[in-house]
Structure formats: structure tokens, C-alpha cells
Amino acid sequence: MRGYCENIIIVLLMMALIQLTSCENAVYPNKVEASLSIIGKNEAELRKVLRYYRNDSMKLMAAYYLIENCKRHQYIENHSVHDSVFFAMEKFLETKPKKRDRTEFFRNQMKTISLEERNKYKVKKIRFDIENVTSEFLIDNIDVAYEAHERLPSKYQVEDSIFQSFVLPYKSSNEAPELGLRRALYQQYNWFYDVLYKNGISIALHQLHDSLKVIVGLEIAYPGTPSIYQLNKVKQGVCTQMVDLEVNILRSLGIAACKDYVPQWGNHHKLGHAWIMVFLGNESFAIDVETWEVLNDIYKEAALPKVYRISFQSKTGNEDDLKRGIDVTALYKGQNEFTLSLDKGSLVSKVGVFKTGGALNPISRPYVVDNKTVMTFTNFGNDQIYGLMEYSDQKISKKVFYLDTLSKVHLLKANYAQRISTTITRKYPFISPRKLDKKRWKDSLIGSQILVANKKDLSDQKLLITINELKSTKPLLIDLEKVKKYKYYIFRSPKDKEIEIAEVHLVDKRGEMIKPLLTTFWIKGKKRKKLRFSERMFDKKPLTFFKNKNFDVIIEVKDHQSVSGFLVQSRNDDNDIRIGDIYDLLFWDNGWHSMGQQKAESYELIYKNVPTETAYWLKNISRGQEEYVFLLDSQGNQYWPCSSRFKGDFKRFARKVYLWDAI
């Protein structure tokens, strides 16, 4: 009997050994095996994941997807030396500070990091996901992804392909994998489901947005690359960082989300932008990362030359899909197609838009030309100026063209036989569907009044003019040459309307600013010697401004002072022509060529005999960086792509729709 039992035990042990060996030697899909074959010491960790899900076909497929594709992903190793700053910020946020105070507090905290510690961030250590992710990390990520998604009402769940692409992945773009991050976010924002089932998706999303209170700004700089865990403590950074944070939070709740971005706006001198695409059921919404405003309609008209979507998987197998993203321009701008002739001997071509200094910044993937003479290009934003860069063994050549609203190509090359005169008023686009701030600045002054008086109590005040229209943010000079002399000159803001004003001055007949004897203010029924930031109206700096409502600015001058004009200027971007600055108008003809420099003596520059049918660039020699290329119409008027065609009518873009209203 004893021998029989021993034989049974031996058989069972052998069966267990065979089963274990078969698990160890299980054959997986070719692409998964390809990933496992290149990782060396971390292979055992990833095989643990596959064994763990061997009896769950759905999650096994999820593991296949992550392992197959993570081999292409990498990240910059995060430093923990400034963790103290993030913890301090987290505590500070509990006091519910104002936006301005948050940014200031964070800057001060960053100053506590020594120069020696900061220098550590200069060394960027690249790590590859497939060599560093653990079985525990992947299993937890997969389990939470399915658990969270299944908690959503069925009508807000997404089809399998969307789930796989935009819920399951453990990263939005190139952030470091962090053990336990998804579960920590899932637990932190778990209250979302209670609100969802009690009050509905709209209120739940609204409260989720309000709980985040993210701040986006270029002035918020981090040494090194902060992790999602750290960003979740401070909730402020540049747009790409905040998108990565919010995409991770949404995915932790089972909501499909991803990062879409434009490498450079087609009417900006250097910046691009990133935002969030959210998928709820069969609908998708492009939303602003800070406000959650729905952008779909606005971006149909905005200056988007190319839009890319960051995806965990390369749909084409092209590594550029992972570095740059998948081209989704057609989803925003519609499909189009056009052809361009190429130089003989061209090998590779790229399409770009202009940036600071008149150079071209590539915004497309490289196109392999291989000595073709004509090439077809697809899905570029229209009403844009582009440059085609052609690379050969010998040189780089550039062709500049305008893609009009009907996606028709107009090659831009100077026509010297047909010349025109032009009046130049700006060096940068004024407003666009995406950015209506400048229109608000300008319009805020409408309804303001200019008054005069001689008595100290202003009882004899007299209305001179009401500002009923402003066509731009350039200084408005009100002629007082024929008005008799007064002791007091008054600027009065519109009733119950907040205004943003940059400059308030009196000028003499030479155009020089008159130094007042005294400047006082009348606000809320009281006379004041000073208001907070009121000095900004008199500092001769167009970029500073004063913001308030229901106030008077009272300027007292010397007896018998001759006053020729009253100058007021709304808040502005300082891109109108500035008197005294030196400008150069350049035109494109296989490179930039100058029409000659001018010193501005008014708020307009006049150039004669300007070649037509090309692109132009007004360069301010004296100051500034914001400059962009434009066209001239047949009358010599400046035409700004994705701005001028609206002829100032932006009413349909003024009404904001937020995600919680759109569902």
C-alpha cells in the first residue's frame, strides 16, 4: 500500500511539472513573442502576466496588446528630489487659494531647490517600458481598466477597439509607468460614480472638472520631467502635461480619452497646443484641458495645419506614428487632396509652417519622393500658408504656397510685373475663432466717455465724446485741437462694465505726453489717490493694463495748458504699428527679400511698388518676437489666414459649450 501511494504522488508531481513546463513554453502570437524575445531579464515578468490570464481570454487579449506595443515606448526617468515641493503644493491647495497665488507659491517652492539639485535634471536618463514594467503593474492596470469601464452606464461604454486604444493603455504619451497609479486615481475619484448614478453624467462630469481646477501656463516650468503622481498633486503645468494628467484620470474612471495636438498653429509664431478627445458611447468630444469647453466646431475653422493623435499602438507600423502620432486632421478639417510639382532629384519632402524669424517648421511626416516629379498630399488644414521643403543630395529647396478655403493650391512667388501699394497696420493676426480675447479687450472700451471740467468739484463737467466703435486695439487719439482749454480731463468707464485699459494720456501738439499736475480716481462714490495697478495706465508700456469697472480717471493740468489730444488704448498684444519703431517689410521669392526699412511716424506704414502674388512678413527691428506671414489682396489690404475671412464677425464662436452641456 505504501508503494502504491508513493507512485501516485510521483505521478501527480510529474503532471504538475508537465503543466508548469507547458505554461512556461506556451506559444503566443508572433508579435507578442517578438516583444518577449528582445527584452532579456524582464521576459519572466511579462510571461507572468500571460500565465495569470491564461483562463481569461478577454484579459489575455488585453495583455497581448500591451506587451506587443509597449516595446516601442520609452520615458525619461523621473527624479524624486523635488517631491517636497509637490507635497507642499498639495497642502497649500487645501486652503483653496486663488489662481495667481497658486502659481506664485509654486515658484517660491521651486526656488528652495538648490542649483546643485537642479543640475541633476540636465542628465536625462531614457528608460524603455518593456524593460521596466512589472507583472504587478500590468495586471493591476488591466484589472482596474475593465472594472472601471464596466461601472459606467452601458450607453457611455465604448466599443472594444476604442476601449483597447483609449482606456486600456497605462500612459497618455511618454510619461513614466508608475506602480499603483491607475488604482490610486480610481480610488481618489471614485466618488464620480456616486454622482453619476444619482445626478447623471452631466453633473458628474461638471463636478469632476471643478474638482481638478487645473492651471495651464507657459510660465509654469518644472525642472526635469514630473510624473503623473506629482502632477496630480499640483494640477498645473503646460498644456501637454495637464492633458496627460487628465487623460490618466479619465481612463482610471473607465472613460475613453486620448491626447490630440497641433505641432504649431498655422497663425502662431512658434506654439502648438494639446487638448483632450473624450469618447462617450458613440460620440466623441474634443475638449479644452483647462475649461472642458467643447472645441469640435471651433476647430473646424481654427488654424490647424495638421492634427495628430497620440496612440499606444502604431496603426501603420511606422515609428513616426508613435513619435508624432496618428494623423487625424481629416476628423477636424475634413478630407482634402492636392498635388505639387517637385524639383528633379528630390529624395524626401516635408511640409511646414512659418515660425519666428521667417523659418519653416516641419509639421508633416517625411514623404519619400524617390525622384518623383509630382506628389499628392492629403488632409492639410485649408486657409493656410505652407512651405514645401525638398531634400536632395545637394541642397534643400523651398516652395511656399497658400491652400485656400476650397483646398486649391496657389504657389506664392513674387510677381514683379504687377505691383501695388499697401497700408500695413499690424505684424501679427488680430483674432481668430480660437482666440477671441483681443476682441473682448477692444470691445470693453466701447461706451467709455471723455469729459472736461474747470471746477475742482467737477460740477461743470461737460461730455466731449462717447467711444462707440473701435476697429482695433491700437491707440485711439481723440483730437482736442479745437477744444478750448480746461483744467480737468476725465476718462469715464462704461457703467457696470469691466474694462481692460492699457494707456490713458494727454498729448501736446508734438504728440508728446503731457505730465499732469495730479491724477486722481473716483470709484464707488469715493475719491482715491490710487487704485491697485492703476499706475499701469500711465507707464507707457502697452502690454501692461488696468482692469476694473465704474471708475473715473481725473487728470489735472497746469492753468492754460495747451492740450491737443486725449489718448486711450485698450489692453492689447503690442503688435499694432508702434510709433518710433523700425520696421522692415519682406516678401517671399525663393527666400525673403526686403522692401526697405521704415521708422513708424504714425500707426500705419505705407509701402509702394510691392510685388504681388506672394507671402509677406513685417519684421519689427526694434522689439518683439510675435510676427507672422500674411497675404495682400488686390487692393493691398493685409489678409491673415484663418482670421481675415470672418471679417470681424465671430459671434458664432462666442457662445461656449462645455462637455457637460454637450452630452
Side-chain angles (χ1 to χ4, degrees):
M1 186 69 181
R2 180 181 175 187
Y4 175 78
C5 291
E6 289 177 346
N7 289 336
I8 291 294
I9 292 172
I10 292 171
V11 170
L12 290 173
L13 287 172
M14 290 181 67
M15 290 176 65
L17 182 61
I18 291 170
Q19 186 177 8
L20 180 61
T21 305
S22 65
C23 289
E24 289 289 346
N25 297 322
V27 178
Y28 301 110
N30 290 340
K31 291 183 178 179
V32 177
E33 288 290 353
S35 293
L36 294 171
S37 68
I38 64 173
I39 55 177
K41 64 181 181 180
N42 207 39
E43 180 181 354
E45 278 294 303
L46 300 189
R47 288 193 181 275
K48 286 180 188 177
V49 181
L50 301 175
R51 289 198 302 275
Y52 185 84
Y53 291 123
R54 64 183 179 273
N55 295 320
D56 187 333
S57 60
M58 183 174 65
K59 291 185 178 180
L60 181 61
M61 293 297 292
Y64 286 168
Y65 177 82
L66 294 179
I67 292 172
E68 175 190 328
N69 290 288
C70 75
K71 66 182 179 183
R72 300 184 177 93
H73 290 273
Q74 61 187 38
Y75 60 93
I76 297 173
E77 188 177 76
N78 176 257
H79 293 276
S80 60
V81 69
H82 55 340
D83 270 351
S84 60
V85 175
F86 290 98
F87 281 112
M89 190 71 192
E90 185 179 37
K91 287 290 184 184
F92 182 65
L93 289 179
E94 291 176 1
T95 67
K96 299 180 179 179
K98 293 181 179 180
K99 183 176 180 178
R100 179 180 63 249
D101 296 332
R102 280 175 63 180
T103 304
E104 185 177 352
F105 180 85
F106 186 73
R107 284 181 186 153
N108 290 335
Q109 287 294 311
M110 279 297 184
K111 291 176 182 177
T112 64
I113 302 174
S114 67
L115 181 61
E116 179 184 357
E117 296 292 350
R118 286 175 178 271
N119 287 335
K120 292 180 181 179
Y121 300 119
K122 294 180 180 179
V123 180
K124 295 183 177 181
K125 296 180 180 179
I126 304 297
R127 297 285 185 260
F128 292 91
D129 289 19
I130 201 164
E131 296 174 353
N132 291 279
V133 293
T134 64
S135 56
E136 181 184 359
F137 171 82
L138 289 179
I139 290 170
D140 197 45
N141 183 85
I142 293 170
D143 286 348
V144 175
Y146 278 97
E147 180 183 338
H149 190 62
E150 287 167 3
R151 289 185 69 181
L152 295 175
S154 58
K155 65 179 178 179
Y156 300 123
Q157 294 180 14
V158 293
E159 61 184 50
D160 290 346
S161 61
I162 300 295
F163 174 86
Q164 186 182 69
S165 297
F166 305 126
V167 178
L168 179 62
Y170 54 82
K171 64 196 308 183
S172 167
S173 55
N174 59 357
E175 63 269 32
E178 297 177 87
L179 183 61
L181 173 67
R182 178 172 287 215
R183 186 168 295 278
L185 295 175
Y186 177 55
Q187 292 171 346
Q188 180 180 350
Y189 298 100
N190 204 271
W191 56 263
F192 171 84
Y193 300 105
D194 294 333
V195 179
L196 170 62
Y197 282 99
K198 183 178 180 180
N199 300 309
I201 188 73
S202 295
I203 292 176
L205 287 169
H206 201 163
Q207 290 189 17
L208 179 62
H209 166 266
D210 290 349
S211 73
L212 297 177
K213 292 184 173 62
V214 303
I215 297 177
V216 176
L218 291 173
E219 72 281 2
I220 305 167
Y222 295 94
T225 305
S227 68
I228 296 299
Y229 180 74
Q230 292 169 326
L231 290 174
N232 189 45
K233 291 182 178 297
V234 297
K235 295 183 175 66
Q236 60 187 40
V238 296
C239 61
T240 55
Q241 292 168 336
M242 292 298 96
V243 168
D244 287 340
L245 170 63
E246 292 192 5
V247 166
N248 274 275
I249 291 172
L250 289 167
R251 288 181 182 177
S252 77
L253 295 170
I255 298 173
C258 64
K259 176 195 285 187
D260 285 3
Y261 77 99
V262 56
Q264 182 184 321
W265 293 105
N267 56 5
H268 196 282
H269 65 296
K270 63 179 181 180
L271 291 183
H273 189 53
W275 58 94
I276 305 169
M277 179 61 79
V278 176
F279 304 85
L280 291 165
N282 296 321
E283 295 187 281
S284 58
F285 305 91
I287 62 170
D288 178 78
V289 64
E290 193 166 18
T291 65
W292 285 20
E293 177 189 356
V294 176
L295 305 169
N296 300 59
D297 288 341
I298 295 174
Y299 280 5
K300 287 179 183 177
E301 307 290 357
L304 297 172
K306 271 292 182 188
V307 182
Y308 296 98
R309 175 166 296 165
I310 301 300
S311 174
F312 193 74
Q313 177 187 19
S314 171
K315 300 292 185 183
T316 63
N318 188 332
E319 290 301 313
D320 194 62
D321 276 357
L322 286 171
K323 293 178 182 177
R324 189 180 291 278
I326 298 169
D327 187 343
V328 292
T329 311
L331 297 179
Y332 290 88
K333 310 296 289 183
Q335 295 182 337
N336 61 18
E337 182 177 287
F338 57 90
T339 59
L340 288 171
S341 298
L342 304 176
D343 292 340
K344 187 176 181 180
S346 293
L347 300 176
V348 176
S349 66
K350 296 179 183 177
V351 178
V353 294
F354 284 100
K355 61 180 181 178
T356 301
L360 284 167
N361 179 28
I363 49 89
S364 77
R365 64 176 177 82
Y367 296 88
V368 179
V369 177
D370 287 338
N371 294 309
K372 294 177 183 176
T373 57
V374 175
M375 190 149 191
T376 300
F377 298 86
T378 58
N379 301 336
F380 283 78
N382 54 23
D383 194 17
Q384 299 276 279
I385 298 173
Y386 293 98
L388 175 67
M389 294 164 280
E390 298 179 61
Y391 300 81
S392 66
D393 291 334
Q394 305 297 324
K395 62 177 182 177
I396 302 175
S397 66
K398 301 173 184 176
K399 293 186 179 74
V400 175
F401 63 95
Y402 170 61
L403 192 65
D404 69 17
T405 55
L406 300 176
S407 299
K408 181 181 178 182
V409 171
H410 303 263
L411 288 176
L412 300 177
K413 191 173 182 180
N415 182 345
Y416 295 94
Q418 185 176 349
R419 297 173 180 257
I420 56 173
S421 295
T422 179
T423 300
I424 304 295
T425 59
R426 282 183 64 83
K427 63 186 180 74
Y428 205 66
F430 180 47
I431 50 178
S432 68
R434 186 183 67 93
K435 294 292 286 184
L436 300 179
D437 292 354
K438 297 173 190 176
K439 186 176 189 301
R440 188 192 73 239
W441 301 343
K442 171 180 72 70
D443 292 347
S444 75
L445 288 196
I446 293 175
S448 301
Q449 296 179 332
I450 306 299
L451 304 95
V452 289
N454 278 316
K455 294 183 178 180
K456 191 171 185 179
D457 63 1
L458 308 181
S459 59
D460 63 337
Q461 62 185 256
K462 174 184 175 183
L463 175 66
L464 287 185
I465 188 173
T466 298
I467 300 173
N468 293 318
E469 182 183 18
L470 280 173
K471 293 184 178 180
S472 72
T473 56
K474 70 181 181 182
L476 173 66
L477 183 59
I478 298 163
D479 186 6
L480 301 181
E481 195 71 53
K482 296 180 181 180
V483 177
K484 70 176 187 178
K485 296 180 176 66
Y486 286 89
K487 181 69 172 173
Y488 302 96
Y489 293 82
I490 306 161
F491 171 85
R492 178 167 295 160
S493 69
K495 185 178 180 181
D496 298 330
K497 179 182 176 183
E498 188 172 67
I499 71 168
E500 296 172 271
I501 186 165
E503 297 294 312
V504 175
H505 296 292
L506 296 176
V507 298
D508 61 23
K509 61 178 60 179
R510 296 174 301 172
E512 300 291 335
M513 308 298 182
I514 296 172
K515 186 176 181 180
L517 282 177
L518 183 67
T519 301
T520 54
F521 305 90
W522 190 267
I523 188 168
K524 295 180 180 179
K526 294 182 179 180
K527 194 173 184 180
R528 304 276 187 87
K529 290 184 179 181
K530 188 178 180 181
L531 300 175
R532 189 183 184 195
F533 302 129
S534 60
E535 69 279 1
R536 294 177 178 179
M537 290 185 283
F538 318 111
D539 61 6
K540 301 181 184 179
K541 297 177 181 179
L543 289 175
T544 63
F545 63 93
F546 173 68
K547 186 175 182 178
N548 216 319
K549 63 180 179 180
N550 296 327
F551 67 92
D552 288 358
V553 180
I554 304 158
I555 303 174
E556 181 182 353
V557 297
K558 297 176 183 177
D559 293 335
H560 310 297
Q561 171 74 56
S562 178
V563 177
S564 294
F566 200 125
L567 184 147
V568 295
Q569 184 177 17
S570 68
R571 181 181 174 184
N572 63 94
D573 59 5
D574 198 21
N575 286 319
D576 296 292
I577 302 303
R578 189 165 175 173
I579 293 175
D581 281 6
I582 307 297
Y583 293 88
D584 191 5
L585 178 64
L586 301 105
F587 64 91
W588 181 268
D589 187 23
N590 294 320
W592 291 108
H593 302 269
S594 174
M595 284 296 300
Q597 295 184 8
Q598 285 192 32
K599 182 177 181 179
E601 297 180 355
S602 71
Y603 300 118
E604 297 177 343
L605 297 171
I606 297 175
Y607 281 88
K608 298 180 178 180
N609 296 316
V610 179
T612 57
E613 300 177 9
T614 189
Y616 307 88
W617 164 32
L618 183 67
K619 183 174 178 58
N620 187 330
I621 307 297
S622 303
R623 75 186 81 234
Q625 293 185 1
E626 290 191 344
E627 300 161 354
Y628 205 71
V629 293
F630 56 91
L631 305 173
L632 294 176
D633 65 18
S634 58
Q635 278 72 49
N637 300 309
Q638 287 177 283
Y639 180 90
W640 300 100
C642 286
S643 178
S644 293
R645 64 187 163 97
F646 299 105
K647 302 185 185 303
D649 181 14
F650 290 89
K651 291 179 182 177
R652 61 192 170 106
F653 305 113
R655 181 179 175 273
K656 297 182 183 296
V657 177
Y658 299 94
L659 179 60
W660 45 88
D661 298 321
I663 298 172

